[in-house]
């Protein structure tokens, strides 16, 4: 299986109800867009909507850090990227960017840790071999990419 490096979603539109009283995209919907973008990759990996029905497994977010870089307005077409940084049979570390679909500027950056979940617990559980093989292929495709310098950065007030 071939994967883009990094993965890039198809263009997405901003919904009018996502615009806050400041006239730009509300912070909650940056996360929604990142999630919708990664759903497109999940289909390729076998984690699509029917995965939970067929296997009783799914993925959960364990941790996610968002950095807001530039305002997004109603008419802004966007795409998301996804870069796999590391994984094992139960976990995956990744980063994402929300980009203007035409101009390419960065609106937001996110870094996360995801878990493969057996819903009978629910509990963290190993991925089935066929799904893990796809994650291995994704990791191989993404391995030449440099780790972004903003990954792993601490949060806090920077003082002189």
């Amino acid at each position: 299986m071939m994967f883009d490096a990094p993965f890039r979603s198809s263009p997405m539109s901003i919904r009018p109800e996502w615009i806050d009283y400041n006239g730009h995209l509300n912070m909650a919907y940056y996360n929604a867009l990142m999630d919708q973008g990664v759903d497109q990759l999940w289909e390729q990996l076998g984690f699509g909507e029917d995965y939970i029905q067929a296997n009783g497994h799914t993925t959960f977010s364990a941790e996610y850090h968002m950095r807001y870089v530039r305002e997004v307005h109603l008419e802004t077409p966007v795409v998301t990227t996804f870069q796999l940084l590391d994984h094992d049979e139960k976990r995956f570390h990744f980063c994402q960017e929300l980009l203007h679909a035409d101009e390419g500027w960065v609106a937001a950056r996110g870094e996360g840790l995801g878990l493969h979940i057996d819903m009978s617990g629910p509990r963290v559980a190993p991925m089935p071999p066929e799904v893990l093989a796809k994650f291995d292929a994704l990791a191989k495709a993404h391995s030449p990419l440099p780790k972004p310098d903003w990954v792993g950065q601490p949060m806090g007030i920077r003082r002189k």
Side-chain angles (χ1 to χ4, degrees):
M1 181 167 251
M2 300 292 293
F3 291 101
D4 293 335
F7 170 80
R8 186 178 172 105
S9 74
S10 60
M12 298 177 285
S13 299
I14 307 302
R15 297 180 187 173
E17 63 270 20
W18 292 354
I19 301 300
D20 64 20
Y21 55 81
N22 295 314
H24 59 243
L25 184 65
N26 179 277
M27 62 185 274
Y29 298 105
Y30 284 79
N31 279 13
L33 287 162
M34 294 289 204
D35 196 44
Q36 287 178 9
V38 83
D39 281 347
Q40 296 174 32
L41 175 61
W42 267 205
E43 287 292 335
Q44 293 179 33
L45 290 169
F47 286 149
E49 193 173 339
D50 60 346
Y51 184 67
I52 193 169
Q53 308 305 329
N55 300 308
H57 293 102
T58 190
T59 60
F60 283 4
S61 289
E63 187 171 350
Y64 197 84
H65 300 260
M66 181 76 75
R67 292 168 183 84
Y68 306 96
V69 179
R70 187 168 170 179
E71 290 181 6
V72 172
H73 299 280
L74 182 59
E75 300 302 321
T76 308
V78 295
V79 296
T80 61
T81 65
F82 179 98
Q83 179 180 343
L84 184 62
L85 301 168
D86 192 12
H87 76 291
D88 63 19
E89 68 279 357
K90 297 179 183 180
R91 302 166 294 187
F92 47 96
H93 179 209
F94 62 95
C95 62
Q96 294 179 274
E97 288 186 312
L98 181 68
L99 307 172
H100 188 287
D102 301 326
E103 298 172 11
W105 49 261
V106 177
R109 291 182 168 126
E111 177 182 1
L113 180 66
L115 304 172
H116 184 262
I117 301 293
D118 178 344
M119 291 300 290
S120 69
R123 65 181 180 279
V124 179
M127 296 177 208
E130 64 278 5
V131 173
L132 184 57
K134 291 177 185 176
F135 250 85
D136 292 340
L138 181 65
K140 185 176 181 179
H142 289 191
S143 65
L145 297 172
K147 180 179 171 183
D149 62 1
W150 49 268
V151 167
Q153 293 294 311
M155 181 172 45
I157 299 171
R158 294 183 183 98
R159 302 189 187 272
K160 294 182 182 181

